[in-house]
Amino acid sequence: MSYSQSWLTRPFTERSTQIFLGVLFLAVMVVSVLHLVMPEGSALYVSSYTVTLLGKYLCYALLAVAVDLVWGYLGILSLGHGAFFALGGYAMGMYLMRQIGDRGVYGDPTLPDFMVFLNWDSLPWYWHGFDMAWFAFIMVLLAPGLLALVFGFLAFRSRVTGVYLSIITQALTFALMLAFFRNEMGFGGNNGLTDFKDILGFDLRTDAARLGLFIATGIALAVGYVICRAIVTSKLGRVSVACRDAEARTRFLGYRVERVQLFVFVVSAMLAGVAGALYVPQVGIINPSEFSPLFSIEIVVWVALGGRATLYGAVIGAIIVNYAKTVFTGIMPDAWLFALGALFVLVTVFLPKGIAGLLPGLKKKTDDESEAPTSGKEATA
Amino acid sequence: MSIIRSLKQLLIVCLLSLPVLGHAQANDEQAQSLLTQLADASYAQKGKIAGEIARSGDERARGWLEAFSAGKLAKVEDSGKFVIVLSNRGRNWTVQDALTGDDLGEISRRDLDTIRVNNSLRSEIDGILSVIDLTVNDADKRLEAARGLRGNVDEAMAKKLTELMASEEDADVKATLDEALAIYKVEEQGDIGAVKTLSGSLNSEARAALNSATYSDDPALKQAAQDALASIETKLKWNRAAETLYFGLSLGSVLVLAAIGLAITFGVMGVINMAHGELIMLGAYTTWGMQQMLPGQPGLALILSIPAGFLVSALAGVAIERSVIQFLKGRPLETLLATFGISLVLQQLVRTVISPLNRTVVTPDWMSGSIMVNEALSLTLNRLYIIGFALVVFVGLMLIMRKTRLGLEVRAVTQNRAMARSMGIKATKVDIMTFALGSGVAGLAGVALSQITNVGPNLGQNYIIDSFMVVVFGGVGNLWGTLVAGLSLGTINQLLEPWAGAVLAKILVLVFIILFIQKRPRGLFPQKGRAAEG
Amino acid sequence: MKIKKQITAGLSALALSLTVSVSAPVAAADEGPIKVGILHSLSGTMAISESTLKDTMLMLIKEQNENGGLLGRKLEPVVVDPASNWPLFAEKARELLAKDKVDVIFGNWTSVSRKSVLPVVEELNGLLFYPVQYEGEESSENVFYTGAAPNQQAIPAVNYLMNQVGVKRWVLAGTDYVYPRTTNKILEAYLKDHGVADDDIMVNYTPFGHSNWQSIVSDIKTFGSQGKKTAVVSTINGDANVPFYRELANQGIKAEDIPVVAFSVGEQELSGIDTGPLVGHLAAWNYFMSVDTDANYDFIDKWVAYTGKEDAVTNDPMEAHYIGFNMWKEAVKKAGTTDVDAVKDAIIGVSVPNLTGGYATMMPNHHITKPVLIGEIQDNGQFSVVWQTPSTVAGDAWSDYLPGSKDLISDWRKPLHCGNYNVVTKSCGGKSEVAAE
C-alpha cells in the first residue's frame, strides 16, 4: 500500500470501503424511498416501525465498529464499551429531557418530571447547558472522550494489559451502572430518561423525524467507518497493529505505545458515544442497563461473530445478531435464547474468522497486513 | 432463633404427655364451646380465651394452643367440628380431629375455616407456653424458655416468675429470669434497683427497657439508666467491630467460593469461561433436586449434594470442554464468545425444563439460626459453615495442585504445553481433567450458595462478574491470590458499608480494584517467569 | 387538597349518572380474530415474575374462546418476549401495535418498562393493561392501571401497623428505584403528618439483586432495640428478598419483635423461600391466594388445571390481569367493537367481580377500586389475612402527600379529559396537546 496519499483520502481508494459505503448508501436510500413513496399496505412499504428498527441496528453497528477499532487493531479487549455508549446516550437524553420544557406531566418549566416527584427543588449543576443543542452534542463526544482519556491514561501508563485491562474496563462500566442506578445521582435512577418530545424542533413522534434520524445514523456510520479506516491504514494504525501483536517489541523500537493506545481508545470511545446519542431518540429511553457488563460483552460477541479486525465484519455481526434477536423474540419467545446461544457457539467453532471470513473477495484486498491474529501469542487479551 | 423454635417443638412433644395444665378432665362439650368462642372472637378477645383454654385444665389444651399459634387450628365449615391441620400444602389438607385425635384424612381447603391468629396473639401464646416450659426438668430447656420471656412479661406472669425464681436451682436460668423480671420492672414500674440488674446486659430487650427509662420524668432513674447504657455501649462497640469482621469474612468466603473454580478454568487454563456462573447454578439446582428426592431430610440431602453437585457440574464441564473448548485451542478469546452462548443456553434450559421461578432450598436445622457468643454477638450458622466450607475447598484444591500427579501435570501443561507433551504427558487428558475440576468446584460453590441466596435461573449471572474481579485482583493463575483477594474484597466491602451504604460501598470497591490494578498491573500475586508474559 | 377531594367526588358522581353512548362502526378490521398482545418478559431477570402472567393471559383467553369468544369472534393471543430489556419493551410494543395490529396489550411489570412503552402506546393509540402495584404519579389516556397505587397498598398497611400493632419506629427499606423511592417519600410524609419524629425513621436503599444483607439486618436489629415497637416497611424487589429474609431468620429477628411488611413479596416469591422461619411477617396486597371465596377457589382450580401443577400458586398481579381482562371484555361488549377510542370511553364505570368477593370498578382516572388486605406469612408459603379495609379503595393516580402532585387530579371523561388537571391553576398541565383534543 502506498503512503503517498493523504491519510484522509486513502480509505476511499480501498475496494472494501467503496463497497461498504456503496452498500450502506444504497440500503439507506432504498429504505427511505420505499418508506416515502410506497403506499401503506403495499408489500414493499417500509413502515416507520421498520425504519426505527433499522436505525437501531445501525447505531449498534457503529458501536461495534468502535469496539473493533480497539479490539481488532489495538488488541485491547474492552468489556466496558457500553459505558461510553451509555454516556453519549445520557448526554443526548438530557438534551431531550430539557427540550420537553413545561410539557412534562407536572408542567415544571425546567425540572424534568422525575426530579419533581422526587422533590428536587433545583436543577443539579451538571444539567445546566443541556437545553442548548450545541452544548449537548459537544458533550456527546466530550463525556465519553474524557472518561476514556482519564481511564486510558492511567491504564496504559502503568502498562495494564490483557485480561487485567479487560476486567478493569468491566469494573468501570459496572461501577458506572451502579452509580447511575442511584437516584441521588440525578439521572432518573432505574427509570432513566424517557418520554421525549422533540429534537431540534422536530416532533420525535412523526415519521419525518424518524426517517431523519435513520438517515443521520447512516451518515454517522459511514463517517465513523471512514475515520476508523483512515486510522487503521495510516502509520498510526500500523503502529497500533504492531502494539497488538508485540507490545514490548514496539516499545523497544522507540514508539510511545501508550500514546498510540490512548489516542485510538479515545477516538473509539467518542464513536461509541455518538452511537449512543443516536440510539436514544430512536428507542425512546436511556437507562442504566446500557451500562450493564453483559451488554458490553454482547458487543464483543457481535464483533467476533462478524469477524474481528475487519470493521465491516463488526457491522455485519451487529446487524445479524440484532436482527436475529428481533425475529426470534417474536416468533419463538420461549426458546429464542437457545437459538442465539447456539448461533454463538456454532459460529465460534466453525467460523473462526467470523462471518466476514466467508467473504473472500473483500478479504484478500484489504486485510493483507492487519489479519486478525490467530496465534495464542496475545494470550487472553 | 429457629433453633429455639425447633427445640420448642421437641418440647411440645414431650409436654403433650405431661399433665402440667391441671388434673381435672374437662369434658368435650366445654372444649367445643371454648374453641367455638375462640373461633368467633375478635383478635382482641382471642388472647383472653386462649388463657381460659390454658387454665381449663384440659390436657389437650397445649396441642390446641400450639396449633392455633401456628395457624393450624381450623373449623370444618358444615359440621362445626374442630380439627388440627397436619399438612397445609396444596388444595386438600390433611387434618386430625382436635377433640378425639382421630385422623380425618384430607379435607378440601374450601370446607375449612382456619382460626386466624396474628403476631401479638402468637407472642401472647408463646408467653403462656413459656411459663409452662419453666417447670420442666431439663435446665437447658428452661433457659431457652426464660430467654424467650425477656420483654414479654406482664403483670400476671411477673408474679408467677417471682415464685418460680425462688425454686429455681440453675444459676443461668435464675439470672435470666432475674433479667426478664428486671426488664418488666424497669419498663412498667421504673424500678431503679432493677436498672442495676440490667447494667451489664447485652440483651437487646434490656437495652430497649433502659432506653425507654431514659425518657423517664424521674431524674434519678434517668441518670441510672443513662449510666447503665453508657457502660453497655462500650461493650457493644467491640462486639460490633467483631461482627463487621465476621460479616466481611463471610462475604469474602462467598466470593472465594464463587471465584475459585474460575481461578482454575480461567486462571490456569486461560479459558474465559462465561458459563462459570451457570456451572454454579447447576450445583445449586442439584441441591434442590437432592432435597426433592429426599423429602423430609434436608440435611442429608445437602451433604449428599456436595459430591453430587461436584459431579453434575464437572460432567457439564467435560461436556463443554469436549464439545466446544477443545476446538478453540490457541484461541482463548473465542472461548469468551462460545461460553457466553453456552451460558445463555444453560439459563434458558433451566427456565424451560425446571421453571423460571426460584426454587425453595430448605436450610437444615443444624445450619439455621446462630451461635450466640454473647448477647450482642451471634454468628449466623449458615455463614459459619460456608466460611469453613470455603477453606476446606481451598485447602483441598491446593493439595490437588501441589501434591498429586494431576496437579503436577496441570502445572506442567500450563507452563509449557509443548515441553510437557514431549515428556509424555497427555495434554488433552489434562485439559479435560482441569476443566472438570474447575467446573466441579463451581458446582460446590452452587451447593453452598443455595443456602444463602435464590436458586433460580439468574443465580449465575449475579456472581460471574464478581468472580472475574476476584480472580484478576488476586493475580491470574494463583490460587492464593484468589483466596486473599476474595477475603480482602469482602472485608473492605463490609467495612465501607456501614457509612457508605451498600451501593456506594460496592462502587468504591470497584474503583479500588481499578486503581489497584494501575499500581500492580498483574494483580496481588503476579505470576512470575516466562508463563507470565504469555 | 380539600378542593381537589370535592372535585374528585363531584366528578365521580357525575360519572355514575353519565351513560356512555358509543356508536359502533363496523370496520374491515372487525372481522378475523381479535388480537390480544401479551408483553411480558420470558427471559432475563424479570422472567421470574412475568412469565406466569403470560400463562395467566393465555388461560383467560383460552377460556373465553371456549365460551364462544368475544363479539362472535375468536381471541388470538400474540406473545412476544421483551427479554427484560427496557428499550426492547418499546420496540416490541411498537411491533405489536404497528405490525401485528393487536387490539389490546396486557403487559409490563417494572416501572421502567412501562415508562418505556408509554410513549409508544400513546403515539399509536393502543390500549395497555398494567397489572402490577406501582408508584402512581402517572395517568395516561391509553393505559389502565389494574395494580395498586400507593394509597391502595402502602398507606393502609402503615395504618394497620400504626393503629393495630402500635408501631412507633419505622425502617423504610427498599431497592433503589422509582417505586420504593416514591412510596417511601409518600410514607415519610404520611408518618411525619402523624407525629413520627425524624429519628424514628430509618431509610435504606440497596441495589437490585442485593444478596449480602448482613450489616443492614444488623443495623435494623440495633435500630429496633431502642425501646419502641419497630417495624420494617419493605419495598425490596424480587430476587433480593430471599437472602434478606434468610438473613432476618438467621439473625433471629422474629415477626413478633420486628415485623416486616412487604409490598413486593407475594405467593410466587414465597414459593422460592423456606417460609418456616418467616411466619408472621406481613405483606399488603389486594388479593391473596388464601382468600376464602368461591370465585377464588374456582380460579385456583382452573389455574392448577391449566398449568398441570398441583403446587402452582396464584398472586396479586394475576388477579389484576383477571380483573383487567374481564373489564376489557365487558367494555368491548358494551361498545360493540374493539375500536380503541370506543373501548376507552366504554370501560370507565365498568364493574366486574374480583376474586376477593367484591367488585372492581374502573374509575375515570384509569385506576380501579380494590380492597386492601394485610396478610401474615404462614409456614406453607401462603398468607393468612389479618386485616382488611372495610370497603374498596379507589386508586389515586396523584398522591396527596407529594408536594408536586397534591393539586393534580386525573379524569379521562369529557369535558375534562385530562390526566393531570391542576385544581389550583385550573389547567390541564403538561400535555396540553392531549387535552385540546
Side-chain angles (χ1 to χ4, degrees):
Chain A
M1 211 176 280
S2 100
Y3 279 82
S4 55
Q5 298 146 311
S6 119
W7 62 274
L8 195 57
T9 55
R10 197 175 308 116
F12 294 102
T13 63
E14 293 177 309
R15 207 163 126 237
S16 72
T17 310
Q18 290 164 356
I19 294 177
F20 177 82
L21 291 180
V23 170
L24 182 65
F25 178 75
L26 249 159
V28 173
M29 277 302 290
V30 167
V31 168
S32 314
V33 168
L34 288 183
H35 175 68
L36 290 175
V37 176
M38 283 304 189
E40 209 165 327
S42 146
L44 287 173
Y45 173 72
V46 177
S47 66
S48 64
Y49 160 71
T50 316
V51 170
T52 310
L53 202 59
L54 292 173
K56 189 179 97 170
Y57 296 162
L58 293 185
C59 292
Y60 284 149
L62 180 56
L63 176 60
V65 166
V67 170
D68 197 18
L69 180 66
V70 287
W71 185 31
Y73 295 90
L74 203 55
I76 297 171
L77 174 57
S78 168
L79 296 180
H81 252 56
F84 306 124
F85 179 78
L87 280 179
Y90 266 98
M92 178 58 100
M94 286 159 83
Y95 162 71
L96 295 173
M97 284 309 266
R98 295 295 303 273
Q99 289 308 99
I100 297 174
D102 62 0
R103 287 168 296 170
V105 288
Y106 299 103
D108 193 296
T110 49
L111 290 185
D113 284 343
F114 73 88
M115 290 190 190
V116 178
F117 86 50
L118 291 177
N119 299 356
W120 292 60
D121 39 21
S122 62
L123 209 58
W125 59 269
Y126 44 82
W127 273 79
H128 288 286
F130 279 94
D131 47 341
M132 294 165 287
W134 64 267
F135 180 82
F137 294 164
I138 288 175
M139 289 311 287
V140 163
L141 292 170
L142 219 55
L146 270 178
L147 178 68
L149 189 71
V150 173
F151 181 84
F153 174 76
L154 287 169
F156 301 137
R157 188 197 51 165
S158 42
R159 301 189 194 170
V160 182
T161 52
V163 277
Y164 294 92
L165 188 55
S166 301
I167 296 298
I168 60 169
T169 54
Q170 194 173 52
L172 174 76
T173 194
F174 193 34
L176 280 169
M177 176 175 85
L178 291 173
F180 274 73
F181 264 132
R182 281 163 55 87
N183 277 283
E184 285 98 342
M185 287 282 288
F187 293 107
N190 181 47
N191 272 16
L193 310 175
T194 177
D195 206 11
F196 308 129
K197 305 279 186 230
D198 48 29
I199 181 167
L200 298 170
F202 297 100
D203 187 346
L204 268 173
R205 290 183 281 186
T206 56
D207 286 356
R210 290 226 171 80
L211 191 65
L213 277 167
F214 169 70
I215 294 172
T217 316
I219 294 170
L221 178 59
V223 172
Y225 186 86
V226 170
I227 291 176
C228 290
R229 278 306 329 167
I231 290 176
V232 299
T233 52
S234 69
K235 190 173 166 211
L236 184 82
R238 305 193 141 240
V239 176
S240 50
V241 170
C243 297
R244 175 191 77 187
D245 293 339
E247 186 176 326
R249 274 187 230 179
T250 318
R251 208 182 292 276
F252 296 146
L253 285 174
Y255 289 105
R256 299 295 293 270
V257 169
E258 61 276 7
R259 291 193 187 173
V260 178
Q261 287 172 324
L262 194 57
F263 175 77
V264 177
F265 193 64
V266 170
V267 169
S268 165
M270 286 176 160
L271 286 178
V274 172
L278 287 163
Y279 171 82
V280 169
Q282 300 191 67
V283 302
I285 181 170
I286 176 78
N287 140 293
S289 59
E290 309 295 341
F291 283 107
S292 145
L294 287 176
F295 174 62
S296 291
I297 292 172
E298 220 189 294
I299 307 167
V300 173
V301 170
W302 304 338
V303 176
L305 191 108
R308 183 186 163 196
T310 57
L311 294 182
Y312 56 82
V315 174
I316 296 170
I319 291 176
I320 286 188
V321 174
N322 285 294
Y323 178 70
K325 259 188 167 179
T326 305
V327 173
F328 291 156
T329 50
I331 58 169
M332 40 196 283
D334 286 310
W336 69 276
L337 274 176
F338 291 129
L340 199 67
L343 180 71
F344 294 164
V345 175
L346 294 178
V347 168
T348 327
V349 175
F350 295 109
L351 296 176
K353 287 184 180 159
I355 294 165
L358 293 173
L359 309 169
L362 280 172
K363 189 109 201 75
K364 234 188 306 167
K365 200 72 191 160
T366 53
D367 294 300
D368 43 346
E369 278 131 329
S370 49
E371 189 91 34
T374 46
S375 76
K377 185 74 190 74
E378 39 135 24
T380 37
Chain B
M1 273 313 152
S2 46
I3 280 190
I4 297 180
R5 193 176 291 276
S6 49
L7 274 176
K8 261 189 197 158
Q9 272 154 12
L10 252 177
L11 208 69
I12 294 149
V13 179
C14 315
L15 276 170
L16 273 173
S17 51
L18 285 174
V20 278
L21 286 158
H23 306 288
Q25 274 291 340
N27 60 33
D28 284 357
E29 230 165 82
Q30 186 201 349
Q32 180 76 20
S33 105
L34 275 172
L35 291 176
T36 311
Q37 282 181 45
L38 186 69
D40 298 340
S42 70
Y43 285 121
Q45 297 164 332
K46 274 180 179 167
K48 226 180 83 197
I49 298 169
E52 272 174 40
I53 292 179
R55 282 188 296 276
S56 71
D58 195 315
E59 61 189 17
R60 297 163 294 188
R62 164 137 215 152
W64 297 333
L65 289 182
E66 272 300 328
F68 172 53
S69 160
K72 287 183 177 167
L73 189 61
K75 192 167 113 180
V76 182
E77 263 173 32
D78 39 6
S79 68
K81 221 179 226 178
F82 284 93
V83 293
I84 291 174
V85 179
L86 299 177
S87 156
N88 58 0
R89 290 183 190 266
R91 288 178 294 172
N92 295 313
W93 291 0
T94 325
V95 297
Q96 187 187 50
D97 192 306
L99 298 179
T100 63
D102 296 339
D103 259 328
L104 296 180
E106 287 195 343
I107 294 189
S108 164
R109 195 160 76 80
R110 281 181 194 239
D111 303 327
L112 287 174
D113 274 339
T114 315
I115 303 180
R116 294 183 191 273
V117 62
N118 65 12
N119 280 324
S120 63
L121 272 173
R122 209 173 287 120
S123 62
E124 218 170 301
I125 292 170
D126 277 357
I128 297 175
L129 295 176
S130 289
V131 176
I132 299 166
D133 289 353
L134 281 174
T135 58
V136 293
N137 284 329
D138 187 337
D140 288 341
K141 283 172 191 163
R142 288 205 303 277
L143 186 60
E144 287 298 343
R147 283 194 173 144
L149 278 176
R150 286 179 300 200
N152 291 330
V153 181
D154 58 17
E155 204 184 325
M157 216 182 274
K159 258 187 219 148
K160 182 107 203 237
L161 286 189
T162 326
E163 282 165 30
L164 281 170
M165 230 171 83
S167 62
E168 180 59 59
E169 287 152 12
D170 188 279
D172 284 346
V173 181
K174 201 164 184 170
T176 316
L177 282 179
D178 194 22
E179 208 172 80
L181 268 176
I183 292 171
Y184 164 73
K185 282 183 189 158
V186 170
E187 262 181 348
E188 305 296 326
Q189 302 168 345
D191 185 340
I192 295 197
V195 169
K196 282 208 186 72
T197 319
L198 296 183
S199 67
S201 172
L202 290 172
N203 179 260
S204 60
E205 296 288 352
R207 238 169 30 247
L210 289 173
N211 260 315
S212 63
T214 57
Y215 298 106
S216 157
D217 297 329
D218 176 3
L221 177 66
K222 198 172 172 174
Q223 188 58 42
Q226 275 167 352
D227 292 347
L229 274 177
S231 79
I232 291 174
E233 207 48 50
T234 22
K235 272 197 195 172
L236 277 179
K237 230 184 241 163
W238 288 104
N239 282 314
R240 287 215 185 102
E243 193 185 51
T244 308
L245 194 66
Y246 175 71
F247 289 165
L249 282 181
S250 97
L251 175 63
S253 60
V254 168
L255 290 176
V256 170
L257 262 180
I260 197 120
L262 194 68
I264 294 173
T265 50
F266 168 57
V268 177
M269 284 182 79
V271 175
I272 307 183
N273 187 11
M274 295 305 296
H276 177 73
E278 279 61 39
L279 292 169
I280 296 179
M281 176 189 78
L282 285 182
Y285 271 97
T286 311
T287 317
W288 170 75
M290 272 289 171
Q291 291 198 343
Q292 295 305 106
M293 278 191 275
L294 295 169
Q297 290 182 304
L300 179 67
L302 185 64
I303 290 171
L304 288 179
S305 306
I306 295 175
F310 184 89
L311 268 181
V312 168
S313 293
L315 287 177
V318 171
I320 294 173
E321 209 278 341
R322 283 292 87 192
S323 61
V324 179
I325 291 172
Q326 66 155 328
F327 302 110
L328 304 175
K329 280 276 125 47
R331 293 191 279 146
L333 265 179
E334 270 134 89
T335 57
L336 170 112
L337 172 61
T339 50
F340 188 67
I342 292 170
S343 101
L344 294 184
V345 170
L346 281 175
Q347 268 177 48
Q348 195 63 17
L349 199 67
V350 167
R351 265 190 209 111
T352 318
V353 177
I354 299 178
S355 161
L357 305 182
N358 286 334
R359 302 283 91 189
T360 314
V361 173
V362 180
T363 308
D365 284 342
W366 45 267
M367 254 186 102
S368 40
S370 43
I371 292 185
M372 212 190 279
V373 176
N374 59 41
E375 289 275 358
L377 179 63
S378 358
L379 307 181
T380 42
L381 267 174
N382 62 345
R383 302 240 172 211
L384 207 57
Y385 274 102
I386 285 173
I387 295 177
F389 187 64
L391 291 177
V392 170
V393 170
F394 176 76
V395 171
L397 270 183
M398 276 317 259
L399 287 178
I400 290 176
M401 293 304 268
R402 298 269 164 227
K403 302 281 177 199
T404 64
R405 171 110 199 142
L406 173 69
L408 187 70
E409 289 182 353
V410 169
R411 281 179 291 146
V413 171
T414 344
Q415 279 173 14
N416 194 327
R417 193 181 180 86
M419 187 74 84
R421 290 188 61 176
S422 61
M423 303 298 279
I425 295 174
K426 289 190 181 112
T428 319
K429 202 185 113 201
V430 172
D431 283 343
I432 300 174
M433 294 296 279
T434 320
F435 202 80
L437 182 66
S439 308
V441 172
L444 290 182
V447 175
L449 286 176
S450 74
Q451 290 303 314
I452 50 171
T453 187
N454 297 286
V455 177
N458 301 327
L459 170 66
Q461 288 200 326
N462 298 334
Y463 286 92
I464 182 76
I465 291 162
D466 285 343
S467 301
F468 272 104
M469 297 290 165
V470 169
V471 174
V472 162
F473 180 67
V476 175
N478 190 315
L479 290 183
W480 277 109
T482 306
L483 180 75
V484 175
L487 291 181
S488 50
L489 290 182
T491 312
I492 294 172
N493 188 313
Q494 288 301 296
L495 288 176
L496 289 174
E497 206 177 291
W499 64 269
V503 190
L504 210 53
K506 192 145 192 197
I507 295 174
L508 288 172
V509 169
L510 290 168
V511 172
F512 170 73
I513 293 175
I514 295 175
L515 294 178
F516 185 86
I517 294 291
Q518 319 287 350
K519 279 281 152 225
R520 294 183 73 115
R522 296 207 159 264
L524 266 176
F525 295 95
Q527 239 179 358
K528 295 195 180 71
R530 188 179 277 231
E533 283 303 307
Chain C
M1 203 120 78
K2 224 174 187 178
I3 305 173
K4 177 184 165 181
K5 282 271 175 321
Q6 280 166 359
I7 292 187
T8 317
L11 287 172
S12 312
L14 190 73
L16 295 175
S17 62
L18 267 179
T19 47
V20 186
S21 61
V22 185
S23 59
V26 183
D30 274 8
E31 277 133 35
I34 297 174
K35 288 185 171 180
V36 180
I38 301 173
L39 186 65
H40 284 300
S41 298
L42 310 176
S43 57
T45 49
M46 290 312 297
I48 186 170
S49 304
E50 290 191 70
S51 51
T52 35
L53 290 184
K54 176 209 73 174
D55 292 333
T56 309
M57 283 313 299
L58 291 179
M59 177 181 86
L60 292 170
I61 290 169
K62 185 168 159 244
E63 190 192 352
Q64 191 62 32
N65 279 336
E66 281 162 5
N67 295 339
L70 191 54
L71 302 181
R73 296 156 62 190
K74 286 273 168 215
L75 296 178
E76 180 192 320
V78 183
V79 181
V80 291
D81 178 17
S84 312
N85 176 325
W86 320 132
L88 202 56
F89 263 95
E91 186 186 313
K92 289 288 158 191
R94 196 174 282 280
E95 184 181 317
L96 285 174
L97 289 170
K99 218 175 104 204
D100 297 320
K101 311 249 184 255
V102 298
D103 296 291
V104 60
I105 299 176
F106 289 83
N108 297 73
W109 183 290
T110 57
S111 279
V112 55
S113 71
R114 188 191 67 251
K115 291 273 182 211
S116 167
V117 162
L118 191 71
V120 176
V121 180
E122 285 182 349
E123 177 197 330
L124 300 176
N125 195 22
L127 280 178
L128 172 68
F129 284 82
Y130 175 66
V132 183
Q133 99 278 19
Y134 83 120
E135 67 277 4
E137 302 301 295
E138 190 181 295
S139 180
S140 163
E141 196 188 349
N142 301 81
V143 183
F144 295 91
Y145 306 84
T146 52
N151 72 318
Q152 290 174 304
Q153 194 183 22
I155 289 184
V158 163
N159 272 336
Y160 169 78
L161 288 174
M162 204 152 40
N163 303 328
Q164 315 283 319
V165 184
V167 172
K168 300 267 186 298
R169 247 166 114 77
W170 304 83
V171 180
L172 308 179
T175 302
D176 191 0
Y177 72 107
V178 170
Y179 169 67
R181 288 260 173 194
T182 317
T183 307
N184 288 346
K185 275 250 146 55
I186 293 172
L187 289 183
E188 243 183 295
Y190 183 79
L191 288 173
K192 283 178 187 160
D193 275 5
H194 287 75
V196 177
D198 274 355
D199 288 347
D200 287 335
I201 301 177
M202 165 179 156
V203 183
N204 182 290
Y205 291 105
T206 39
F208 280 94
H210 190 64
S211 61
N212 189 46
W213 289 94
Q214 303 179 91
S215 33
I216 292 166
V217 169
S218 164
D219 285 350
I220 290 174
K221 216 168 149 183
T222 315
F223 186 80
S225 61
Q226 306 295 316
K228 291 181 189 169
K229 180 76 182 168
T230 305
V232 179
V233 177
S234 155
T235 38
I236 297 164
N237 178 273
D239 270 5
N241 277 302
V242 173
F244 174 62
Y245 280 112
R246 279 213 157 132
E247 195 63 40
L248 280 180
N250 282 326
Q251 293 201 19
I253 296 186
K254 284 194 292 181
E256 289 89 355
D257 309 329
I258 304 179
V260 177
V261 58
F263 302 149
S264 309
V265 176
E267 288 83 353
Q268 196 170 303
E269 284 73 19
L270 288 186
S271 73
I273 314 181
D274 172 18
T275 51
L278 304 181
V279 171
H281 286 303
L282 303 140
W285 288 104
N286 311 105
Y287 163 83
F288 286 116
M289 188 179 173
S290 66
V291 164
D292 194 13
T293 64
D294 280 333
N296 180 38
Y297 288 130
D298 291 343
F299 183 73
I300 295 170
D301 288 345
K302 271 186 259 169
W303 177 241
V304 169
Y306 181 81
T307 56
K309 288 181 189 146
E310 187 55 39
D311 60 350
V313 294
T314 58
N315 64 6
D316 181 277
M318 281 172 66
E319 191 223 14
H321 258 347
Y322 170 84
I323 294 172
F325 180 74
N326 285 334
M327 281 184 163
W328 172 74
K329 203 175 78 188
E330 290 306 317
V332 168
K333 277 189 200 156
K334 194 164 148 193
T337 168
T338 57
D339 177 70
V340 169
D341 288 322
V343 173
K344 254 179 353 200
D345 287 339
I347 200 168
I348 292 174
V350 162
S351 272
V352 297
N354 59 25
L355 293 178
T356 48
Y359 279 85
T361 309
M362 179 60 74
M363 303 305 285
N365 63 0
H366 287 192
H367 290 62
I368 67 173
T369 56
K370 290 173 155 263
V372 186
L373 282 59
I374 313 276
E376 282 184 3
I377 297 178
Q378 305 290 297
D379 63 347
N380 57 352
Q382 294 290 325
F383 292 89
S384 149
V385 178
V386 292
W387 182 82
Q388 73 182 84
T389 47
S391 59
T392 57
V393 181
D396 196 0
W398 305 99
S399 174
D400 299 341
Y401 297 95
L402 292 179
S405 68
K406 63 181 196 297
D407 299 327
L408 298 179
I409 61 158
S410 161
D411 188 333
W412 287 108
R413 291 163 307 176
K414 293 175 177 90
L416 198 53
H417 196 74
C418 174
N420 50 353
Y421 183 80
N422 190 315
V423 291
V424 176
T425 63
K426 304 249 181 285
S427 65
C428 188
K431 297 175 182 167
S432 41
E433 72 272 17
V434 178
E437 276 178 5

